[in-house]
Amino acid sequence: MNDLGAVCLISSFSILLFSIIQTSYGIFKNDSRALELGRYTLMANFAVILLAFIVLVVQLMRTDLSNYYVAMHSSEHLPLFYKMTSVWSGSSGSLLFWNLLLSGFTFIVLWQTKDLLNERIPVMHLSLAVIACFFSFLAIFFPDAQPFREFQPAAVAGRGLNPLLQHWAMIIHPPILYVGYVSFAIPFTIAASALVTGQLSENWFRFVRRWSIFSWFFLGTGILLGSKWAYEELGWGGYWAWDPVENASLMPWLLSTAFLHSMIIQERRGMLKFWNMLLIILAFHFCLLGTWITRSGVLEGPHSFSKSSIGTPFIVFIGVSFFFYLGILIYRKDKLKPERNLEAITSKEGSFLLNNFLLVIATLSILLGVFSPLLSGVEYKAPWFNSWGVPAGILLILLMGAAPLLAWRKGADQIFFTTLLKPLIAGVIGAGIYILYYTRNFSISDYSLGDVLGEVYSVLTVGLGIFTIAGIVQEYHNGIKARRAAIQGENYFQAGFRMLLKNKRRYGGYLVHLSMVILFIGLAGNAFKQNTSVKFFYFLRFSPTNELIYTSDDTAILGDYTIGATTLKIKPIVNGDPEAGLNHRNVIVSHEATFEVKKQLKSFDTMVTERRYYPQISHLSGDFETHIPTSEPSISSTPKEDLYIQLGAIEHADLSDENPDLPGMFLDFFFTRDPAIKAAKYLKFPNQIVANLEVWINPMVKFIWAGSLMFFLSGLLILLPIGEDKK
């Protein structure tokens, strides 16, 4: 099947080259038949790439160890679902998936535009064909992008899927993020075709809008799912670490957010035409840059791939493409002059402009931080990002709340008492109530400058968040009143619901703002986050089963919580079907610690946290090589805060430098069948051990996940054609 997959990729490359030649000839010679042939071959590429993708999925499901990618990313013991989804767990498989999505979106947009006759459409076809051809080129000529490399002779065993990826959020997070990355090629090529041909009438971005919202929505949803995965799987008590791969997805999302807002100004006021073109060029190339960061291996992160041979051609393609379109943009600058000038900086259009400025500056700052190891040899960590990111976020909340309340062309002073005053009063009162709440409910450490600043930022975030929420409520109320005055017979809630469906761009956008405010309020709880590390002493207790059981009576206190250790079990977990038999390839060793937790001396919860050790198998010999540890935190969540615990390293009772190899000792003990030898190996386990436990109290985290869910639902409402007038 490797040959069939390789033939598909070679065919794709040939088809795309033919499409590029035909479309180019048709454009220069104004030959409609050549253009039509180029369009048909570009659409046919989707079927070829789809067949290649199906071949790889079938190989993964069958554990075809003659395929190098399968041997590196799957195994016979992996559950079927994980086998199928491992198609995007490695570099070459994920690039094939990238290519599949691109060809699929290309097919859709070519079908949508099949009846349109203007000079822009063939240029859009040509741009899409060039991008797709580049990815097929990588898959043929660069080993790290080849999903159908032969493994001769066939591997003895598969190495399996990275244990960190065996989580529900990580299974759906990458494809959702890829959809956001890849689909931005469509609005970009539509805009680029208008730029190249000089046909810059306003109708180009009306077609772009829905595709841009589609890309922005999937990018945002993918980022939030990645945060959920990090919180539940990595065991470090957080959800955002400013990791290079996280930042790689955040940067195009910020730029696309800026573009969606500045499009409104171009539609309403005829301004920012040059700026909008620059934004969409930047957004797409930052999508490509994010793909490069993840797959080049130049920058490391918990979910980036190893160093790769595709890094150089990829960054060259990004650079050539960016400067080519930037040059055309500069050449067309005279056709992109604004129709009007900004009349008041505190007007609605002024607030949108400030919003754009902040988002772009934030993107460039993140870019500087991402490449700091290459530029200065020093990696900028989370404190550096937070030092400017938190104030920038607070300013964005202010603009998010103020912009809907401001008027076009008029300064804030002219409408202050009619639209701004009531939400502002609500924000001040809300900030005061929040101060009273956190002083009574959250533990505050001994003050330092950082603690005081954190509290100030937290109060500002919540106060401005309530200001924004009050403004949204006011806008909805005024809209409902106006609708009920114009349309008789609707009650208050009917009018509000129908108003939302009829004007989703405005009122659906307010719901997105509301979701972001709720999320930011959750982030404000970080000012009162607590963390400590505790050591518990355990003693070995006899067990007639194949589990090792250690017990402890130690307790620890953090804030209102008393954490009492009870048992620590070392036990086997079967990865796959137990009926297939147990061996060193499919047995995971689990260190499972149970704790009884009290809150204010009252029984609160029983929490179980693990460290799991997955076997790493040699694909050449099939023998066990080493263990890959993963974290399985326990999270007890309330509306106020999360208690988050994670079992750490296990040490000798004398705290000597070298930790005992309990997973290796346990496997040796577990697979021994002779009772006498098994008993002797049991006696080799240490009678006393010390287990480390990391404990976090994370206030207001529920708001983050509530805001994330609302972002998904409100974005989906805007995206789907629900309630729209059929034309």
Side-chain angles (χ1 to χ4, degrees), residues 76-284:
E76 63 272 23
H77 300 293
L78 202 63
L80 181 62
F81 179 70
Y82 285 138
K83 285 183 179 181
M84 294 172 62
T85 53
S86 61
V87 71
W88 49 73
S89 66
S91 180
S92 57
S94 64
L95 285 172
L96 178 61
F97 185 57
W98 217 103
N99 205 345
L100 173 70
L101 290 173
L102 179 61
S103 59
F105 291 137
T106 299
F107 183 91
I108 292 170
V109 77
L110 262 60
W111 183 264
Q112 288 178 334
T113 58
K114 65 181 186 299
D115 297 325
L116 295 181
L117 299 174
N118 60 57
E119 294 179 14
R120 291 201 304 260
I121 300 303
V123 176
M124 181 189 73
H125 296 173
L126 181 60
S127 300
L128 287 168
V130 169
I131 297 168
C133 190
F134 171 71
F135 281 93
S136 292
F137 165 78
L138 290 179
I140 294 172
F141 295 104
F142 290 86
D144 292 322
Q146 293 172 357
F148 300 107
R149 289 167 62 188
E150 289 276 355
F151 204 110
Q152 293 294 345
V156 175
R159 293 179 72 86
L161 181 65
N162 185 335
L164 287 176
L165 304 183
Q166 297 182 36
H167 181 272
W168 68 268
M170 204 56 184
I171 292 304
I172 59 176
H173 156 67
I176 288 175
L177 207 56
Y178 292 165
V179 168
Y181 274 138
V182 180
S183 60
F184 219 95
I186 306 303
F188 163 72
T189 52
I190 295 169
S193 65
L195 191 63
V196 170
T197 60
Q199 294 185 0
L200 294 163
S201 58
E202 300 303 316
N203 64 348
W204 72 266
F205 62 80
R206 291 172 187 166
F207 188 52
V208 157
R209 186 189 305 117
R210 188 175 292 276
W211 276 103
S212 299
I213 292 172
F214 179 86
S215 306
W216 167 87
F217 167 73
F218 275 92
L219 266 176
T221 302
I223 290 168
L224 294 172
L225 275 172
S227 298
K228 185 68 171 173
W229 166 78
Y231 192 64
E232 293 188 353
E233 185 67 18
L234 295 185
W236 59 283
Y239 34 77
W240 188 264
W242 297 102
D243 166 77
V245 179
E246 293 173 334
N247 292 332
S249 57
L250 180 61
M251 289 187 288
W253 186 82
L254 292 175
L255 290 171
S256 59
T257 302
F259 175 69
L260 288 172
H261 285 81
S262 60
M263 269 204 312
I264 299 171
I265 303 178
Q266 183 170 343
E267 284 184 282
R268 294 292 298 268
R269 304 284 294 148
M271 300 164 62
L272 302 181
K273 295 181 179 182
F274 183 92
W275 177 249
N276 279 333
M277 275 293 183
L278 179 60
L279 277 180
I280 200 165
I281 291 171
L282 282 171
F284 172 68

Side-chain angles (χ1 to χ4, degrees), residues 382-391 457:
W384 181 85
F385 287 98
N386 291 332
S387 66
W388 60 263
V390 174
Y457 285 157

Side-chain angles (χ1 to χ4, degrees), residues 386-424:
N386 291 332
S387 66
W388 60 263
V390 174
I394 291 171
L395 285 174
L396 282 172
I397 299 174
L398 173 62
L399 292 172
M400 201 186 308
L405 306 177
L406 296 172
W408 296 103
R409 303 175 61 187
K410 296 179 181 178
D413 57 314
Q414 299 182 47
I415 48 89
F416 178 80
F417 290 101
T418 55
T419 62
L420 288 168
L421 181 60
K422 291 178 182 177
L424 192 60

Side-chain angles (χ1 to χ4, degrees), residues 689-706:
I689 57 172
V690 173
N692 290 276
L693 185 73
E694 288 289 332
V695 185
W696 291 267
I697 297 175
N698 296 327
M700 299 163 60
V701 173
K702 282 283 191 186
F703 284 90
I704 296 174
W705 311 133

